[in-house]
mmCIF file of all heavy atoms in Angstrom:
data_model
loop_
_atom_site.group_PDB
_atom_site.id
_atom_site.type_symbol
_atom_site.label_atom_id
_atom_site.label_comp_id
_atom_site.label_asym_id
_atom_site.label_seq_id
_atom_site.Cartn_x
_atom_site.Cartn_y
_atom_site.Cartn_z
ATOM 1 N N MET A 14 -20.320 33.339 -7.871
ATOM 2 C CA MET A 14 -20.450 32.006 -7.302
ATOM 3 C C MET A 14 -20.144 30.939 -8.358
ATOM 4 O O MET A 14 -19.516 29.933 -8.054
ATOM 5 C CB MET A 14 -21.863 31.860 -6.755
ATOM 6 C CG MET A 14 -22.088 30.602 -6.009
ATOM 7 S SD MET A 14 -21.214 30.683 -4.443
ATOM 8 C CE MET A 14 -21.791 29.232 -3.686
ATOM 9 N N LYS A 15 -20.605 31.184 -9.583
ATOM 10 C CA LYS A 15 -20.361 30.230 -10.655
ATOM 11 C C LYS A 15 -18.863 30.117 -10.941
ATOM 12 O O LYS A 15 -18.351 29.029 -11.191
ATOM 13 C CB LYS A 15 -21.114 30.668 -11.912
ATOM 14 C CG LYS A 15 -20.974 29.707 -13.057
ATOM 15 C CD LYS A 15 -21.761 30.171 -14.263
ATOM 16 C CE LYS A 15 -21.548 29.211 -15.406
ATOM 17 N NZ LYS A 15 -22.250 29.599 -16.620
ATOM 18 N N ASN A 16 -18.153 31.241 -10.879
ATOM 19 C CA ASN A 16 -16.710 31.243 -11.107
ATOM 20 C C ASN A 16 -15.989 30.424 -10.039
ATOM 21 O O ASN A 16 -15.056 29.678 -10.337
ATOM 22 C CB ASN A 16 -16.189 32.685 -11.127
ATOM 23 C CG ASN A 16 -14.746 32.756 -11.559
ATOM 24 O OD1 ASN A 16 -14.237 31.837 -12.169
ATOM 25 N ND2 ASN A 16 -14.096 33.863 -11.246
ATOM 26 N N LEU A 17 -16.410 30.545 -8.806
ATOM 27 C CA LEU A 17 -15.807 29.790 -7.708
ATOM 28 C C LEU A 17 -16.008 28.283 -7.908
ATOM 29 O O LEU A 17 -15.083 27.484 -7.728
ATOM 30 C CB LEU A 17 -16.404 30.236 -6.370
ATOM 31 C CG LEU A 17 -15.909 29.520 -5.130
ATOM 32 C CD1 LEU A 17 -14.430 29.832 -4.905
ATOM 33 C CD2 LEU A 17 -16.717 29.943 -3.920
ATOM 34 N N PHE A 18 -17.210 27.891 -8.304
ATOM 35 C CA PHE A 18 -17.513 26.479 -8.549
ATOM 36 C C PHE A 18 -16.692 25.941 -9.717
ATOM 37 O O PHE A 18 -16.179 24.817 -9.673
ATOM 38 C CB PHE A 18 -19.010 26.300 -8.816
ATOM 39 C CG PHE A 18 -19.412 24.876 -9.044
ATOM 40 C CD1 PHE A 18 -19.459 23.982 -7.988
ATOM 41 C CD2 PHE A 18 -19.719 24.418 -10.313
ATOM 42 C CE1 PHE A 18 -19.812 22.663 -8.195
ATOM 43 C CE2 PHE A 18 -20.070 23.104 -10.524
ATOM 44 C CZ PHE A 18 -20.123 22.227 -9.460
ATOM 45 N N THR A 19 -16.538 26.738 -10.768
ATOM 46 C CA THR A 19 -15.763 26.323 -11.936
ATOM 47 C C THR A 19 -14.299 26.107 -11.564
ATOM 48 O O THR A 19 -13.684 25.120 -11.968
ATOM 49 C CB THR A 19 -15.873 27.373 -13.055
ATOM 50 O OG1 THR A 19 -17.251 27.585 -13.348
ATOM 51 C CG2 THR A 19 -15.159 26.913 -14.301
ATOM 52 N N ARG A 20 -13.729 27.037 -10.780
ATOM 53 C CA ARG A 20 -12.338 26.870 -10.349
ATOM 54 C C ARG A 20 -12.183 25.630 -9.474
ATOM 55 O O ARG A 20 -11.197 24.905 -9.562
ATOM 56 C CB ARG A 20 -11.866 28.102 -9.571
ATOM 57 C CG ARG A 20 -11.475 29.244 -10.443
ATOM 58 C CD ARG A 20 -10.786 30.316 -9.651
ATOM 59 N NE ARG A 20 -11.550 30.601 -8.428
ATOM 60 C CZ ARG A 20 -11.162 31.429 -7.478
ATOM 61 N NH1 ARG A 20 -10.024 32.060 -7.578
ATOM 62 N NH2 ARG A 20 -11.903 31.633 -6.416
ATOM 63 N N TYR A 21 -13.162 25.373 -8.613
ATOM 64 C CA TYR A 21 -13.110 24.202 -7.726
ATOM 65 C C TYR A 21 -13.130 22.907 -8.533
ATOM 66 O O TYR A 21 -12.402 21.960 -8.228
ATOM 67 C CB TYR A 21 -14.285 24.242 -6.747
ATOM 68 C CG TYR A 21 -14.369 23.031 -5.859
ATOM 69 C CD1 TYR A 21 -13.486 22.844 -4.810
ATOM 70 C CD2 TYR A 21 -15.339 22.061 -6.081
ATOM 71 C CE1 TYR A 21 -13.556 21.731 -3.997
ATOM 72 C CE2 TYR A 21 -15.422 20.945 -5.273
ATOM 73 C CZ TYR A 21 -14.525 20.787 -4.238
ATOM 74 O OH TYR A 21 -14.603 19.683 -3.439
ATOM 75 N N MET A 22 -13.928 22.852 -9.560
ATOM 76 C CA MET A 22 -14.038 21.634 -10.367
ATOM 77 C C MET A 22 -12.784 21.394 -11.212
ATOM 78 O O MET A 22 -12.452 20.254 -11.512
ATOM 79 C CB MET A 22 -15.273 21.695 -11.268
ATOM 80 C CG MET A 22 -16.580 21.637 -10.505
ATOM 81 S SD MET A 22 -16.733 20.195 -9.425
ATOM 82 C CE MET A 22 -16.857 18.907 -10.631
ATOM 83 N N LYS A 23 -12.056 22.453 -11.571
ATOM 84 C CA LYS A 23 -10.850 22.303 -12.379
ATOM 85 C C LYS A 23 -9.612 22.023 -11.545
ATOM 86 O O LYS A 23 -8.591 21.615 -12.085
ATOM 87 C CB LYS A 23 -10.622 23.559 -13.225
ATOM 88 C CG LYS A 23 -11.636 23.706 -14.342
ATOM 89 C CD LYS A 23 -11.341 24.921 -15.187
ATOM 90 C CE LYS A 23 -12.349 25.051 -16.312
ATOM 91 N NZ LYS A 23 -12.075 26.212 -17.156
ATOM 92 N N ASP A 24 -9.682 22.233 -10.257
ATOM 93 C CA ASP A 24 -8.525 22.035 -9.380
ATOM 94 C C ASP A 24 -8.291 20.538 -9.191
ATOM 95 O O ASP A 24 -9.137 19.819 -8.677
ATOM 96 C CB ASP A 24 -8.760 22.700 -8.028
ATOM 97 C CG ASP A 24 -7.553 22.603 -7.124
ATOM 98 O OD1 ASP A 24 -6.445 22.363 -7.634
ATOM 99 O OD2 ASP A 24 -7.721 22.781 -5.904
ATOM 100 N N GLU A 25 -7.118 20.040 -9.623
ATOM 101 C CA GLU A 25 -6.808 18.618 -9.532
ATOM 102 C C GLU A 25 -5.680 18.322 -8.556
ATOM 103 O O GLU A 25 -5.160 17.205 -8.528
ATOM 104 C CB GLU A 25 -6.441 18.086 -10.916
ATOM 105 C CG GLU A 25 -7.594 18.141 -11.908
ATOM 106 C CD GLU A 25 -7.237 17.556 -13.248
ATOM 107 O OE1 GLU A 25 -6.115 17.040 -13.397
ATOM 108 O OE2 GLU A 25 -8.087 17.604 -14.152
ATOM 109 N N SER A 26 -5.268 19.285 -7.772
ATOM 110 C CA SER A 26 -4.137 19.057 -6.866
ATOM 111 C C SER A 26 -4.479 18.041 -5.784
ATOM 112 O O SER A 26 -3.638 17.246 -5.392
ATOM 113 C CB SER A 26 -3.694 20.378 -6.239
ATOM 114 O OG SER A 26 -4.743 20.940 -5.474
ATOM 115 N N GLY A 27 -5.679 18.034 -5.298
ATOM 116 C CA GLY A 27 -6.079 17.057 -4.288
ATOM 117 C C GLY A 27 -6.165 15.647 -4.852
ATOM 118 O O GLY A 27 -5.864 14.671 -4.179
ATOM 119 N N ALA A 28 -6.560 15.529 -6.098
ATOM 120 C CA ALA A 28 -6.669 14.212 -6.730
ATOM 121 C C ALA A 28 -5.306 13.545 -6.838
ATOM 122 O O ALA A 28 -5.182 12.336 -6.638
ATOM 123 C CB ALA A 28 -7.305 14.343 -8.101
ATOM 124 N N THR A 29 -4.277 14.320 -7.100
ATOM 125 C CA THR A 29 -2.935 13.754 -7.204
ATOM 126 C C THR A 29 -2.477 13.196 -5.865
ATOM 127 O O THR A 29 -1.910 12.105 -5.797
ATOM 128 C CB THR A 29 -1.946 14.835 -7.687
ATOM 129 O OG1 THR A 29 -2.407 15.334 -8.932
ATOM 130 C CG2 THR A 29 -0.575 14.263 -7.879
ATOM 131 N N ALA A 30 -2.745 13.905 -4.798
ATOM 132 C CA ALA A 30 -2.360 13.440 -3.467
ATOM 133 C C ALA A 30 -3.102 12.155 -3.117
ATOM 134 O O ALA A 30 -2.517 11.230 -2.541
ATOM 135 C CB ALA A 30 -2.632 14.526 -2.432
ATOM 136 N N ILE A 31 -4.361 12.077 -3.478
ATOM 137 C CA ILE A 31 -5.141 10.863 -3.200
ATOM 138 C C ILE A 31 -4.584 9.689 -4.004
ATOM 139 O O ILE A 31 -4.474 8.569 -3.491
ATOM 140 C CB ILE A 31 -6.632 11.098 -3.518
ATOM 141 C CG1 ILE A 31 -7.214 12.087 -2.514
ATOM 142 C CG2 ILE A 31 -7.406 9.791 -3.509
ATOM 143 C CD1 ILE A 31 -8.609 12.540 -2.841
ATOM 144 N N GLU A 32 -4.215 9.921 -5.236
ATOM 145 C CA GLU A 32 -3.650 8.845 -6.062
ATOM 146 C C GLU A 32 -2.341 8.327 -5.467
ATOM 147 O O GLU A 32 -2.121 7.120 -5.414
ATOM 148 C CB GLU A 32 -3.419 9.348 -7.482
ATOM 149 C CG GLU A 32 -4.701 9.595 -8.248
ATOM 150 C CD GLU A 32 -4.488 10.362 -9.531
ATOM 151 O OE1 GLU A 32 -3.336 10.752 -9.810
ATOM 152 O OE2 GLU A 32 -5.465 10.564 -10.255
ATOM 153 N N TYR A 33 -1.480 9.241 -5.026
ATOM 154 C CA TYR A 33 -0.231 8.807 -4.403
ATOM 155 C C TYR A 33 -0.504 8.029 -3.119
ATOM 156 O O TYR A 33 0.177 7.050 -2.824
ATOM 157 C CB TYR A 33 0.674 10.001 -4.107
ATOM 158 C CG TYR A 33 1.358 10.560 -5.326
ATOM 159 C CD1 TYR A 33 1.403 11.924 -5.552
ATOM 160 C CD2 TYR A 33 1.970 9.728 -6.248
ATOM 161 C CE1 TYR A 33 2.025 12.451 -6.661
ATOM 162 C CE2 TYR A 33 2.599 10.240 -7.369
ATOM 163 C CZ TYR A 33 2.627 11.595 -7.570
ATOM 164 O OH TYR A 33 3.251 12.102 -8.672
ATOM 165 N N GLY A 34 -1.493 8.438 -2.367
ATOM 166 C CA GLY A 34 -1.858 7.709 -1.157
ATOM 167 C C GLY A 34 -2.345 6.306 -1.462
ATOM 168 O O GLY A 34 -2.002 5.349 -0.764
ATOM 169 N N LEU A 35 -3.149 6.160 -2.502
ATOM 170 C CA LEU A 35 -3.642 4.840 -2.886
ATOM 171 C C LEU A 35 -2.514 3.941 -3.373
ATOM 172 O O LEU A 35 -2.485 2.738 -3.068
ATOM 173 C CB LEU A 35 -4.714 4.969 -3.969
ATOM 174 C CG LEU A 35 -6.041 5.552 -3.525
ATOM 175 C CD1 LEU A 35 -6.945 5.783 -4.724
ATOM 176 C CD2 LEU A 35 -6.710 4.650 -2.515
ATOM 177 N N ILE A 36 -1.576 4.502 -4.120
ATOM 178 C CA ILE A 36 -0.432 3.718 -4.587
ATOM 179 C C ILE A 36 0.410 3.252 -3.403
ATOM 180 O O ILE A 36 0.827 2.085 -3.342
ATOM 181 C CB ILE A 36 0.411 4.535 -5.581
ATOM 182 C CG1 ILE A 36 -0.360 4.723 -6.885
ATOM 183 C CG2 ILE A 36 1.751 3.867 -5.860
ATOM 184 C CD1 ILE A 36 0.261 5.725 -7.836
ATOM 185 N N ALA A 37 0.649 4.146 -2.440
ATOM 186 C CA ALA A 37 1.428 3.777 -1.255
ATOM 187 C C ALA A 37 0.721 2.694 -0.450
ATOM 188 O O ALA A 37 1.361 1.762 0.050
ATOM 189 C CB ALA A 37 1.681 5.005 -0.388
ATOM 190 N N ALA A 38 -0.593 2.781 -0.321
ATOM 191 C CA ALA A 38 -1.351 1.767 0.409
ATOM 192 C C ALA A 38 -1.274 0.419 -0.304
ATOM 193 O O ALA A 38 -1.124 -0.628 0.347
ATOM 194 C CB ALA A 38 -2.805 2.200 0.557
ATOM 195 N N LEU A 39 -1.365 0.408 -1.626
ATOM 196 C CA LEU A 39 -1.274 -0.836 -2.386
ATOM 197 C C LEU A 39 0.103 -1.467 -2.231
ATOM 198 O O LEU A 39 0.216 -2.684 -2.036
ATOM 199 C CB LEU A 39 -1.570 -0.572 -3.863
ATOM 200 C CG LEU A 39 -1.476 -1.776 -4.787
ATOM 201 C CD1 LEU A 39 -2.529 -2.810 -4.414
ATOM 202 C CD2 LEU A 39 -1.653 -1.350 -6.234
ATOM 203 N N ILE A 40 1.152 -0.659 -2.274
ATOM 204 C CA ILE A 40 2.505 -1.179 -2.096
ATOM 205 C C ILE A 40 2.662 -1.765 -0.702
ATOM 206 O O ILE A 40 3.265 -2.833 -0.532
ATOM 207 C CB ILE A 40 3.541 -0.074 -2.370
ATOM 208 C CG1 ILE A 40 3.559 0.259 -3.859
ATOM 209 C CG2 ILE A 40 4.927 -0.480 -1.901
ATOM 210 C CD1 ILE A 40 4.378 1.478 -4.207
ATOM 211 N N ALA A 41 2.100 -1.104 0.311
ATOM 212 C CA ALA A 41 2.186 -1.614 1.676
ATOM 213 C C ALA A 41 1.475 -2.958 1.812
ATOM 214 O O ALA A 41 1.981 -3.872 2.471
ATOM 215 C CB ALA A 41 1.595 -0.604 2.653
ATOM 216 N N VAL A 42 0.324 -3.110 1.185
ATOM 217 C CA VAL A 42 -0.412 -4.373 1.253
ATOM 218 C C VAL A 42 0.387 -5.495 0.589
ATOM 219 O O VAL A 42 0.460 -6.618 1.117
ATOM 220 C CB VAL A 42 -1.806 -4.216 0.589
ATOM 221 C CG1 VAL A 42 -2.471 -5.563 0.365
ATOM 222 C CG2 VAL A 42 -2.683 -3.323 1.435
ATOM 223 N N VAL A 43 1.006 -5.209 -0.543
ATOM 224 C CA VAL A 43 1.813 -6.221 -1.230
ATOM 225 C C VAL A 43 3.014 -6.620 -0.375
ATOM 226 O O VAL A 43 3.325 -7.813 -0.243
ATOM 227 C CB VAL A 43 2.268 -5.701 -2.614
ATOM 228 C CG1 VAL A 43 3.307 -6.607 -3.228
ATOM 229 C CG2 VAL A 43 1.066 -5.562 -3.533
ATOM 230 N N ILE A 44 3.684 -5.649 0.233
ATOM 231 C CA ILE A 44 4.838 -5.949 1.086
ATOM 232 C C ILE A 44 4.422 -6.803 2.268
ATOM 233 O O ILE A 44 5.104 -7.779 2.615
ATOM 234 C CB ILE A 44 5.528 -4.648 1.540
ATOM 235 C CG1 ILE A 44 6.241 -4.006 0.359
ATOM 236 C CG2 ILE A 44 6.501 -4.905 2.681
ATOM 237 C CD1 ILE A 44 6.795 -2.627 0.657
ATOM 238 N N ILE A 45 3.308 -6.483 2.904
ATOM 239 C CA ILE A 45 2.828 -7.261 4.049
ATOM 240 C C ILE A 45 2.524 -8.698 3.623
ATOM 241 O O ILE A 45 2.878 -9.651 4.320
ATOM 242 C CB ILE A 45 1.599 -6.589 4.681
ATOM 243 C CG1 ILE A 45 2.022 -5.302 5.384
ATOM 244 C CG2 ILE A 45 0.892 -7.518 5.646
ATOM 245 C CD1 ILE A 45 0.878 -4.433 5.843
ATOM 246 N N ALA A 46 1.881 -8.875 2.478
ATOM 247 C CA ALA A 46 1.545 -10.222 2.001
ATOM 248 C C ALA A 46 2.807 -11.033 1.725
ATOM 249 O O ALA A 46 2.889 -12.215 2.091
ATOM 250 C CB ALA A 46 0.686 -10.136 0.748
ATOM 251 N N VAL A 47 3.802 -10.418 1.112
ATOM 252 C CA VAL A 47 5.051 -11.124 0.807
ATOM 253 C C VAL A 47 5.783 -11.494 2.095
ATOM 254 O O VAL A 47 6.283 -12.614 2.234
ATOM 255 C CB VAL A 47 5.942 -10.270 -0.122
ATOM 256 C CG1 VAL A 47 7.340 -10.838 -0.217
ATOM 257 C CG2 VAL A 47 5.314 -10.179 -1.501
ATOM 258 N N LEU A 48 5.843 -10.566 3.033
ATOM 259 C CA LEU A 48 6.542 -10.845 4.285
ATOM 260 C C LEU A 48 5.855 -11.946 5.097
ATOM 261 O O LEU A 48 6.523 -12.750 5.739
ATOM 262 C CB LEU A 48 6.672 -9.571 5.121
ATOM 263 C CG LEU A 48 7.666 -8.544 4.592
ATOM 264 C CD1 LEU A 48 7.669 -7.303 5.474
ATOM 265 C CD2 LEU A 48 9.054 -9.125 4.492
ATOM 266 N N GLN A 49 4.531 -11.993 5.062
ATOM 267 C CA GLN A 49 3.825 -13.069 5.761
ATOM 268 C C GLN A 49 4.138 -14.418 5.120
ATOM 269 O O GLN A 49 4.344 -15.411 5.817
ATOM 270 C CB GLN A 49 2.316 -12.819 5.748
ATOM 271 C CG GLN A 49 1.882 -11.772 6.734
ATOM 272 C CD GLN A 49 0.381 -11.564 6.720
ATOM 273 O OE1 GLN A 49 -0.318 -11.969 5.782
ATOM 274 N NE2 GLN A 49 -0.125 -10.928 7.755
ATOM 275 N N SER A 50 4.197 -14.466 3.817
ATOM 276 C CA SER A 50 4.509 -15.707 3.122
ATOM 277 C C SER A 50 5.930 -16.160 3.426
ATOM 278 O O SER A 50 6.173 -17.334 3.737
ATOM 279 C CB SER A 50 4.326 -15.518 1.619
ATOM 280 O OG SER A 50 4.755 -16.656 0.919
ATOM 281 N N VAL A 51 6.868 -15.249 3.344
ATOM 282 C CA VAL A 51 8.268 -15.578 3.626
ATOM 283 C C VAL A 51 8.431 -15.947 5.095
ATOM 284 O O VAL A 51 9.163 -16.889 5.425
ATOM 285 C CB VAL A 51 9.187 -14.395 3.241
ATOM 286 C CG1 VAL A 51 10.599 -14.605 3.743
ATOM 287 C CG2 VAL A 51 9.187 -14.204 1.735
ATOM 288 N N GLY A 52 7.740 -15.244 5.976
ATOM 289 C CA GLY A 52 7.835 -15.525 7.401
ATOM 290 C C GLY A 52 7.348 -16.917 7.748
ATOM 291 O O GLY A 52 7.974 -17.625 8.546
ATOM 292 N N SER A 53 6.252 -17.348 7.146
ATOM 293 C CA SER A 53 5.736 -18.681 7.455
ATOM 294 C C SER A 53 6.670 -19.762 6.906
ATOM 295 O O SER A 53 6.875 -20.803 7.545
ATOM 296 C CB SER A 53 4.325 -18.852 6.910
ATOM 297 O OG SER A 53 4.324 -18.783 5.503
ATOM 298 N N SER A 54 7.252 -19.551 5.738
ATOM 299 C CA SER A 54 8.168 -20.551 5.206
ATOM 300 C C SER A 54 9.459 -20.604 6.027
ATOM 301 O O SER A 54 10.024 -21.685 6.233
ATOM 302 C CB SER A 54 8.478 -20.284 3.731
ATOM 303 O OG SER A 54 9.177 -19.070 3.586
ATOM 304 N N LEU A 55 9.915 -19.463 6.523
ATOM 305 C CA LEU A 55 11.090 -19.457 7.399
ATOM 306 C C LEU A 55 10.794 -20.158 8.721
ATOM 307 O O LEU A 55 11.647 -20.879 9.244
ATOM 308 C CB LEU A 55 11.548 -18.021 7.671
ATOM 309 C CG LEU A 55 12.407 -17.366 6.618
ATOM 310 C CD1 LEU A 55 12.714 -15.936 7.011
ATOM 311 C CD2 LEU A 55 13.696 -18.125 6.418
ATOM 312 N N ASN A 56 9.613 -19.948 9.232
ATOM 313 C CA ASN A 56 9.216 -20.606 10.474
ATOM 314 C C ASN A 56 9.210 -22.122 10.296
ATOM 315 O O ASN A 56 9.675 -22.869 11.164
ATOM 316 C CB ASN A 56 7.843 -20.106 10.912
ATOM 317 C CG ASN A 56 7.514 -20.478 12.332
ATOM 318 O OD1 ASN A 56 8.384 -20.847 13.107
ATOM 319 N ND2 ASN A 56 6.243 -20.383 12.668
ATOM 320 N N THR A 57 8.705 -22.582 9.173
ATOM 321 C CA THR A 57 8.702 -24.015 8.881
ATOM 322 C C THR A 57 10.128 -24.551 8.776
ATOM 323 O O THR A 57 10.454 -25.609 9.325
ATOM 324 C CB THR A 57 7.945 -24.283 7.570
ATOM 325 O OG1 THR A 57 6.633 -23.762 7.679
ATOM 326 C CG2 THR A 57 7.897 -25.757 7.263
ATOM 327 N N LYS A 58 10.985 -23.829 8.091
ATOM 328 C CA LYS A 58 12.372 -24.270 7.903
ATOM 329 C C LYS A 58 13.109 -24.334 9.239
ATOM 330 O O LYS A 58 13.826 -25.289 9.517
ATOM 331 C CB LYS A 58 13.093 -23.328 6.944
ATOM 332 C CG LYS A 58 14.485 -23.756 6.576
ATOM 333 C CD LYS A 58 14.539 -25.144 5.956
ATOM 334 C CE LYS A 58 14.023 -25.149 4.559
ATOM 335 N NZ LYS A 58 14.162 -26.473 3.898
ATOM 336 N N PHE A 59 12.926 -23.319 10.096
ATOM 337 C CA PHE A 59 13.572 -23.343 11.409
ATOM 338 C C PHE A 59 13.029 -24.476 12.280
ATOM 339 O O PHE A 59 13.756 -25.073 13.068
ATOM 340 C CB PHE A 59 13.406 -22.003 12.124
ATOM 341 C CG PHE A 59 14.370 -20.952 11.663
ATOM 342 C CD1 PHE A 59 13.902 -19.744 11.171
ATOM 343 C CD2 PHE A 59 15.736 -21.162 11.708
ATOM 344 C CE1 PHE A 59 14.778 -18.767 10.747
ATOM 345 C CE2 PHE A 59 16.628 -20.192 11.282
ATOM 346 C CZ PHE A 59 16.143 -18.996 10.799
ATOM 347 N N GLY A 60 11.767 -24.807 12.103
ATOM 348 C CA GLY A 60 11.197 -25.945 12.820
ATOM 349 C C GLY A 60 11.836 -27.254 12.377
ATOM 350 O O GLY A 60 12.111 -28.138 13.198
ATOM 351 N N GLU A 61 12.085 -27.385 11.091
ATOM 352 C CA GLU A 61 12.741 -28.586 10.571
ATOM 353 C C GLU A 61 14.174 -28.690 11.103
ATOM 354 O O GLU A 61 14.628 -29.786 11.486
ATOM 355 C CB GLU A 61 12.751 -28.568 9.041
ATOM 356 C CG GLU A 61 11.398 -28.723 8.393
ATOM 357 C CD GLU A 61 11.440 -28.497 6.893
ATOM 358 O OE1 GLU A 61 12.539 -28.279 6.342
ATOM 359 O OE2 GLU A 61 10.371 -28.537 6.275
ATOM 360 N N VAL A 62 14.882 -27.579 11.136
ATOM 361 C CA VAL A 62 16.240 -27.581 11.638
ATOM 362 C C VAL A 62 16.267 -27.934 13.118
ATOM 363 O O VAL A 62 17.087 -28.721 13.580
ATOM 364 C CB VAL A 62 16.919 -26.199 11.381
ATOM 365 C CG1 VAL A 62 18.246 -26.105 12.110
ATOM 366 C CG2 VAL A 62 17.100 -25.975 9.895
ATOM 367 N N ASP A 63 15.314 -27.377 13.864
ATOM 368 C CA ASP A 63 15.228 -27.672 15.296
ATOM 369 C C ASP A 63 14.948 -29.144 15.530
ATOM 370 O O ASP A 63 15.564 -29.773 16.413
ATOM 371 C CB ASP A 63 14.131 -26.806 15.925
ATOM 372 C CG ASP A 63 14.031 -27.010 17.426
ATOM 373 O OD1 ASP A 63 15.080 -27.022 18.102
ATOM 374 O OD2 ASP A 63 12.887 -27.139 17.921
ATOM 375 N N ALA A 64 14.046 -29.723 14.749
ATOM 376 C CA ALA A 64 13.734 -31.138 14.907
ATOM 377 C C ALA A 64 14.940 -32.021 14.529
ATOM 378 O O ALA A 64 15.178 -33.049 15.169
ATOM 379 C CB ALA A 64 12.524 -31.504 14.039
ATOM 380 N N ALA A 65 15.671 -31.601 13.520
ATOM 381 C CA ALA A 65 16.848 -32.389 13.098
ATOM 382 C C ALA A 65 17.954 -32.334 14.140
ATOM 383 O O ALA A 65 18.692 -33.306 14.308
ATOM 384 C CB ALA A 65 17.362 -31.876 11.757
ATOM 385 N N LEU A 66 18.088 -31.223 14.840
ATOM 386 C CA LEU A 66 19.140 -31.095 15.851
ATOM 387 C C LEU A 66 18.823 -31.903 17.106
ATOM 388 O O LEU A 66 19.722 -32.274 17.842
ATOM 389 C CB LEU A 66 19.357 -29.627 16.198
ATOM 390 C CG LEU A 66 20.028 -28.777 15.118
ATOM 391 C CD1 LEU A 66 20.101 -27.334 15.555
ATOM 392 C CD2 LEU A 66 21.421 -29.312 14.809
ATOM 393 N N GLN A 67 17.557 -32.160 17.338
ATOM 394 C CA GLN A 67 17.195 -32.924 18.543
ATOM 395 C C GLN A 67 17.196 -34.373 18.190
ATOM 396 O O GLN A 67 17.494 -35.306 18.625
ATOM 397 C CB GLN A 67 15.814 -32.517 19.049
ATOM 398 C CG GLN A 67 15.818 -31.104 19.566
ATOM 399 C CD GLN A 67 14.443 -30.683 20.032
ATOM 400 O OE1 GLN A 67 13.500 -31.470 20.081
ATOM 401 N NE2 GLN A 67 14.318 -29.434 20.388
#
């Protein structure tokens, strides 16, 4: 039983997958934040163009 517990504690394959998942989630959050910022500024610019055309 002690040998099984020791092998379990040394196994790091699951930790690597979790780290990659966290990195992917962080990248997704950054992309969403940037797109929201760009989207709102584009919306403002199109509103200005629409007002100028009328």
